[in-house]
Amino acid sequence: MQNFIQYTPTEVIFGKETENQTGEAVKRWGGSRVLIVYGGGSAVRSGLLKRVMDSLEAEGIAYEEMGGVHPNPRLAFAEEGVEKAIGFQADFILAVGGGSAIDTAKAIAHGTANPAVKLWDIWTNQVPLTQSIPVGVVLTIAAAGSEMSDSAVLTNEEIGKKAGLNSRLNRVKFAVMNPELTFTVPKYQLACGVADIMMHTLERYFIPGISCEMTDEIAEGLLRTVMSNGAKAMENQKDYDVMAEIMWCSSLSHNDLTGCGRGKDFSVHKFGHALSAKYDVAHGASLSAVWGSWARYQYDAAPERFARYAHKVLGIEGENQMEVALKGIEKTEEYFRSIGMPASITELNLQPTDEEIRELSMDATMGNTVKLSRLKPLSADEVYEIYQMAK
């Protein structure tokens, strides 16, 4: 087991009607002037936004709102949020929504604390991030896990690039999680969320040669739980216990718990980020579309690891590790399709040209300056081959 630091400081407020405690939580964490960041009209139509505002008013907290967050959160929108937060003299940013709203809130917080620095320079590590202002979350979609993670992503539309930022300053102060708020999420978004949750743990799981028995058991249990309840949710999305399990899996999958002692390898995310930046496809779908091809290209570098996954998570038996490993990859693709997720780029309704796949490969590897994967190092040429397999 490798050395590691486990740092999960987020206060979790979980259960029915907990959004009514938002004002108390903001006040507890020092907020007095709040910018509320949210997506479309569903937060308004459902009455959620009003309940959140009422809870802030009950605590005497001033607030402004900013709706309009898009999936694959946009840099330009976050920059607008920075201007608004500074003008309002906000000392706290509150996200109401899923991963896109949360990541946008994190970006606004960083930009507000560093007004003299371009936000994209922070995002691309050209300027170190050393300060921010607090962020809280009212979660409505179980997917990204951003409510407990140290990561956030932004898409720079001008240059067609999507980038992630990891920092301890991305840890939010609190996360309100009421599974009832997920009952009306569109089925496709729910399925994308399940795929994303799975991938956050799979990207930490397929790292060979490191013994982490406890971490493995946590990861495997989480994968079994989210896959089982993800299938149930496709049948009945208003089952509170089912949606509660998925919501809790979302947070645990991306707070680094499933990678303790092993670390992570987010190479599939690099593939997906390039796809979603170029074609604006849903994040979870961009990951499921390439995972099977990524796995087939590399499983022979760690057949015992893939065979363990197939056996412990999917219940596949067999003596031949290579055969069991391949069956595990196939069954995972079958699961993605069973919940309405693509298992190839074609199933994303995309037909990229050879030139476009070359561009995607260069984007995923930052112009062929970095190699992806801890299984087999992948340069732009190998990434190109995997994209072709996924096509």
Side-chain angles (χ1 to χ4, degrees):
M1 184 181 295
Q2 294 179 338
N3 293 0
F4 66 90
I5 296 173
Q6 170 65 355
Y7 179 63
T8 315
T10 301
E11 177 186 16
V12 174
I13 306 166
F14 196 103
K16 297 178 180 180
E17 300 181 358
T18 47
E19 64 271 21
N20 297 321
Q21 300 176 38
T22 303
E24 296 172 17
V26 170
K27 191 172 186 177
R28 185 162 58 248
W29 287 102
S32 62
R33 298 183 66 81
V34 177
L35 178 65
I36 305 171
V37 180
Y38 64 98
S42 60
V44 178
R45 291 189 300 272
S46 68
L48 171 61
L49 197 61
K50 184 179 186 304
R51 295 196 296 276
V52 169
M53 290 175 177
D54 287 346
S55 75
L56 294 173
E57 290 174 8
E59 299 296 330
I61 296 170
Y63 61 85
E64 288 281 350
E65 60 178 284
M66 184 178 182
V69 172
H70 289 278
N72 296 315
R74 278 37 169 192
L75 171 66
F77 186 84
E79 290 172 333
E80 290 178 24
V82 171
E83 292 181 9
K84 187 160 187 173
I86 291 173
F88 179 61
Q89 297 183 314
D91 59 14
F92 201 99
I93 312 298
L94 178 66
V96 178
S100 294
I102 300 169
D103 288 0
T104 300
K106 291 178 181 181
I108 292 171
H110 302 337
T112 302
N114 301 276
V117 181
K118 291 182 178 179
L119 192 52
W120 193 244
D121 287 346
I122 293 174
W123 229 257
T124 53
N125 294 306
Q126 295 180 56
V127 177
L129 179 62
T130 59
Q131 60 184 0
S132 189
I133 66 172
V135 175
V137 171
V138 178
L139 187 65
T140 63
I141 303 173
S146 189
E147 68 276 1
M148 287 188 76
S149 79
D150 70 347
S151 65
V153 297
L154 278 181
T155 299
N156 186 331
E157 289 182 284
E158 284 191 7
I159 61 175
K161 301 293 182 183
K162 185 175 182 179
L165 173 70
N166 291 87
S167 168
R168 63 179 180 81
L169 295 174
N170 274 331
R171 302 282 189 182
V172 306
K173 298 302 182 184
F174 70 83
V176 169
M177 301 186 204
N178 177 0
E180 292 175 315
L181 300 179
T182 68
F183 286 0
T184 57
V185 171
K187 276 286 196 295
Y188 185 74
Q189 288 186 27
L190 173 59
C192 284
V194 170
D196 199 11
I197 294 165
M198 289 175 60
M199 212 61 60
H200 287 152
T201 289
L202 291 172
E203 296 265 60
R204 293 172 167 91
Y205 188 84
F206 287 109
I207 298 171
I210 302 172
S211 175
C212 299
E213 184 177 348
M214 187 68 254
T215 299
D216 281 348
E217 293 289 344
I218 293 170
E220 290 155 1
L222 190 150
L223 287 164
R224 290 193 301 269
T225 300
V226 75
M227 292 177 76
S228 171
N229 285 281
K232 293 175 185 176
M234 294 299 112
E235 300 298 324
N236 181 10
Q237 194 175 334
K238 294 188 178 182
D239 185 318
Y240 179 86
D241 290 328
V242 165
M243 300 310 292
E245 296 290 354
I246 295 173
M247 181 171 270
W248 191 222
C249 283
S250 170
S251 298
L252 296 184
S253 188
H254 204 24
N255 72 356
D256 287 333
L257 182 64
T258 58
C260 286
R262 178 173 286 112
K264 56 188 175 184
D265 167 16
F266 267 43
S267 55
V268 178
H269 270 70
K270 300 297 184 184
F271 282 76
H273 283 175
L275 277 170
S276 59
K278 187 173 183 62
Y279 300 108
D280 198 27
V281 298
H283 175 62
S286 76
L287 302 177
S288 65
V290 298
W291 184 83
S293 296
W294 171 90
R296 282 190 183 83
Y297 193 89
Q298 301 198 92
Y299 81 99
D300 59 348
E304 71 290 340
R305 193 79 188 140
F306 281 85
R308 176 180 171 126
Y309 162 74
H311 174 61
K312 298 278 281 186
V313 176
L314 302 172
I316 297 173
E317 304 285 350
E319 297 296 326
N320 187 308
Q321 282 188 335
M322 300 292 276
E323 290 179 1
V324 171
L326 275 175
K327 287 179 182 177
I329 296 169
E330 292 169 4
K331 194 165 182 178
T332 303
E333 290 178 315
E334 289 172 9
Y335 177 79
F336 286 144
R337 291 188 175 106
S338 75
I339 62 170
M341 283 289 94
S344 71
I345 292 175
T346 302
E347 292 169 45
L348 280 171
N349 295 318
L350 298 176
Q351 290 291 339
T353 65
D354 186 75
E355 182 180 350
E356 288 172 333
I357 291 178
R358 290 285 182 193
E359 291 173 1
L360 289 169
S361 305
M362 293 297 285
D363 188 10
T365 58
M366 299 180 67
N368 205 23
T369 62
V370 297
K371 289 185 181 291
L372 308 183
S373 180
R374 290 172 64 178
L375 287 165
K376 294 179 185 177
L378 305 173
S379 67
D381 287 341
E382 286 80 35
V383 171
Y384 168 83
E385 290 181 41
I386 292 171
Y387 272 131
Q388 287 285 16
M389 289 169 64
K391 180 182 174 183

